[in-house]
Structures are given as C-alpha cells and as structure tokens.
Amino acid sequence: MQEKRRLLGMTLNELKEVAAETGLPGYAAKQIADWLYKKKVTSIAEMTNIAAAKRTLLEESFEVGAVPPIDCMKSVDGTIKYLFAAGPGNFVESVYIPTDDRATLCVSSQVGCKMNCLFCMTGKQGFTKNLTANQILNQIQSLPESDRLTNLVFMGMGEPLDNVDELFKVLEILTSAYGYGWSPKRITVSTIGVAKGLKRFLEESDCHLAVSLHSPFHEERLSLMPVEKAYPAQSLIDMIKEYDFSHQRRVSFEYIVFKNLNDSPQHAKALICLLNTLDCRVNLIRFHAIPGVSLESSDWARMEVFRDTLNNAGIICTIRASRGEDIFAACGMLSTAKKQQNG
C-alpha cells in the first residue's frame, strides 16, 4: 500500500497542486492551508468547509501528518526536551525553553549532522538524513506548548543551511499570511557557515541570523570546526558585510568559550578586529562537557572580562544563560545516536 503524502509542511503553491490533482477548485488550497496552519487540525475529516466527497478523495492519497512527540524530559529549570520520530528508526530532539517573558523552541533540521564540530554531540552522531519540511514544522505544530511560543531558533540538531530548500519552505509557512503569519523577527536561523545557503538566506529571508564562530583565528577555528577549511570565517563575515542590511536583520555571533583555548584577551581583541564595522552582537556560551572530548568550560571571571572587553569596544556582548544541561538539552548536547541504534 502506497504511503500517504503529508499536507503539513506544504506551501500554498504545493497545496494548489494538491487541489488540482484531486479535482478541488483552486480556492480549496487556501482553505486547506487555513485548516492546517491556523486551526491546526490533525485530520482531513475536520476540514468541514470542503465537500465530504472531496475530503474522502483527499484522504485516499493524503494525510495531515501531524505527529505528537514520543517522549520528553523536563529539566529542573523548566526546560523540556522533546523526542520526535523522523521516519522509520530515526529521531530528532527539540527543546522548549520558557522564561518570564518569552517561550522559545529550539528546532532541529537534520537527523545528525555532517559538520563534525569537535565540541558538539550531534556532530559525533554523524549524518543520517535531512528532515523534510513536514518533519521540521511538526516539531513546532505538534509541540504541546505550541500556542505559547513567542520565538523560534533553528539551533537544534543539524546545520539548517545544509538543508536549505526544506528550511525555506518552513520559513515561508511560518511568516506568510496563509500560514502562521509570524514576524521574521521572531525567528533566528543559526549556521556554522555554509556559504551557498548563507547567500540565499541573506538574499531571500528577513529572519535573524546567528553565526557559530568560536575563534577569530583560522587555524584554531579549523581545529574546532572542519567547515573552516571550505568556508573560512573571514569570507563569511565579508559576505555579511557586503549585504544591504536596510531590512534591520539582527546578526549575532555565537562564541562557545573554552578554558585556556579561546578565552584570552588576545582572542577578544582579534574578535573585535574581525567584526569591525559590522553591526552585530556576540553571545558567549559556556561549554557543556560531552563524552570523549577533553575541552573544558572557561571560568565565569574570564568570560566576564571577555564580555566587558567587547562591550567597551562597542560590540554588544552578553553571556547566554545555560538551560537544560541536566537533561542534555543545552547547546551542543543534542544527540539521538543511542535511540537510532535501539530503534
């Protein structure tokens, strides 16, 4: 029996193709989108302004495709890590982070990751597959706290700009009037610097951008992040500097601080030179120890000196609060490797 195609994650143009394929009038695509993204139905039977006979026809080949998480873990700080199925034997994690004034979801874009950054558990897992737009959006729509969300960050498992076609479908649905109708300013896409995807993102999206940097020095960044060989940080920063930022996109640089590696005053000064003339901010992130990696987190005092050095030079710099470390939900700690093996 042929597997049904999933409507959740389809753009309006794709839904128009579905309507044509099933003999529905053109306007039905907007109706389906309304049921999917505004009313958030979980079955075609609930789409009551579509004729019953047409719904039956739709159900022969399609399903909504909203699938609830299969497991969750709650941190002492209120952070919740959810596990979602992503096809037979595959899983992804996403992290719900509530605070006093906002509720953020950290979304995954791939099962595993190709980039193999030294400090990241997802990279140690290796790469299995890109998530479909359905599997990405399902993390948002099927989240129990979905209606409370104020912000989304594509900083979960995988490199979003290595799965750029599916990512852009999701961003369209999130920000379009036919979809969620969110402001792009509520969404941040993180990247370690896949140049082709970054160029497209800068040209086509108004969402915020976060670039994983972690060292201002080429050889040192290369030792932490193999992607530096193909896409040096300097070239990525030059690309960002050349772009017209009249749309007021926020650009930030993520900087995990490692003890006696990248936390010296010389590193802070080199970072200031690298980011000179670029309107941006820097987020310092405490390293969270992962198995098999000898790196250590910098101490708080050195991180404060680093932060103050950048702020005094006119670059907004903050130390990001760590959330969910006790359930392996903090930055760099997401992995479903054991679940894939057991699945």
Side-chain angles (χ1 to χ4, degrees):
M1 187 175 178
Q2 190 172 3
E3 187 177 351
K4 291 185 178 182
R5 290 153 60 192
R6 296 181 167 187
L7 297 172
L8 181 69
M10 288 190 180
T11 63
L12 186 60
N13 284 338
E14 290 174 320
L15 292 173
K16 287 177 181 177
E17 293 174 6
V18 169
E21 184 180 325
T22 52
L24 287 164
Y27 61 79
K30 181 67 171 60
Q31 291 176 317
I32 296 171
D34 193 65
W35 286 110
L36 290 173
Y37 305 127
K38 299 194 186 307
K39 299 184 176 70
K40 299 182 180 179
V41 299
T42 56
S43 70
I44 291 171
E46 297 170 79
M47 301 179 182
T48 51
N49 61 352
I50 298 172
K54 295 296 185 182
R55 295 201 303 268
T56 301
L57 198 59
L58 259 179
E59 287 174 331
E60 290 179 5
S61 301
F62 298 92
E63 62 184 357
V64 169
V67 183
I70 58 176
D71 198 8
C72 72
M73 295 177 68
K74 188 166 184 176
S75 168
V76 294
D77 64 23
T79 299
I80 307 174
K81 181 170 70 172
Y82 286 100
L83 182 71
F84 287 91
N90 291 314
F91 307 91
V92 292
E93 295 176 331
S94 38
V95 182
Y96 174 69
I97 310 166
T99 59
D100 291 340
D101 59 347
R102 63 171 57 194
T104 302
L105 183 67
C106 182
V107 183
S108 292
S109 55
Q110 296 177 317
V111 180
C113 185
K114 298 175 187 175
M115 303 304 162
N116 196 28
C117 295
L118 178 63
F119 47 82
C120 180
M121 279 186 67
T122 307
K124 305 299 179 193
Q125 176 177 334
F127 175 75
T128 302
K129 58 176 277 190
N130 282 327
L131 296 184
T132 64
N134 167 266
Q135 292 163 339
I136 298 172
L137 196 63
N138 184 62
Q139 297 168 65
I140 302 163
Q141 182 137 319
S142 294
L143 186 81
E145 299 83 3
S146 180
D147 290 340
R148 301 181 202 168
L149 290 175
T150 62
N151 296 82
L152 295 171
V153 291
F154 287 83
M155 295 180 181
M157 297 175 63
E159 163 55 53
L161 297 187
D162 189 42
N163 187 16
V164 70
D165 290 337
E166 298 302 300
L167 171 71
F168 267 76
K169 286 183 189 179
V170 173
L171 294 181
E172 177 184 324
I173 293 164
L174 288 170
T175 58
S176 293
Y178 73 79
Y180 284 57
W182 276 37
S183 164
K185 308 310 177 193
R186 296 170 64 183
I187 302 167
T188 300
V189 174
S190 176
T191 181
I192 65 171
V194 178
K196 185 177 179 182
L198 177 59
K199 185 174 186 296
R200 180 176 170 188
F201 180 82
L202 291 171
E203 291 173 347
E204 298 181 25
S205 176
D206 289 328
C207 295
H208 293 319
L209 175 68
V211 180
S212 295
L213 190 57
H214 313 314
S215 176
F217 301 120
H218 172 74
E219 292 298 330
E220 188 173 80
R221 187 172 189 259
L222 181 60
S223 71
L224 295 168
M225 308 170 69
V227 73
E228 172 72 9
K229 184 174 182 179
Y231 306 120
Q234 183 66 65
S235 66
L236 300 172
I237 291 166
D238 289 344
M239 181 188 296
I240 295 169
K241 283 181 177 180
E242 289 170 10
Y243 197 78
D244 176 14
F245 283 94
S246 58
H247 44 54
Q248 301 299 305
R249 180 204 319 280
R250 186 181 69 229
V251 176
S252 59
F253 291 88
E254 311 295 290
Y255 195 97
I256 298 177
V257 192
F258 304 106
K259 183 177 181 179
N260 298 328
L261 178 67
N262 66 348
D263 60 351
S264 71
Q266 290 74 25
H267 282 85
K269 291 172 184 174
L271 189 57
I272 291 165
C273 291
L274 186 65
L275 301 180
N276 186 36
T277 74
L278 181 61
D279 184 12
C280 65
R281 63 181 64 192
V282 173
N283 295 318
L284 301 183
I285 303 168
R286 185 169 62 82
F287 174 62
H288 304 98
I290 61 174
V293 175
S294 60
L295 296 168
E296 297 179 49
S297 178
S298 183
D299 63 70
W300 189 259
R302 286 177 75 88
M303 290 178 69
E304 287 185 326
V305 170
F306 201 104
R307 176 199 63 195
D308 294 345
T309 302
L310 266 65
N311 279 321
N312 290 336
I315 296 174
I316 297 172
C317 182
T318 58
I319 300 175
R320 182 188 292 169
S322 182
R323 298 289 300 270
E325 186 174 3
D326 58 317
I327 57 169
F328 276 70
C331 180
M333 300 183 83
L334 299 184
S335 175
T336 56
K338 287 185 179 179
K339 299 176 183 69
Q340 318 283 91
Q341 293 164 5
N342 296 335

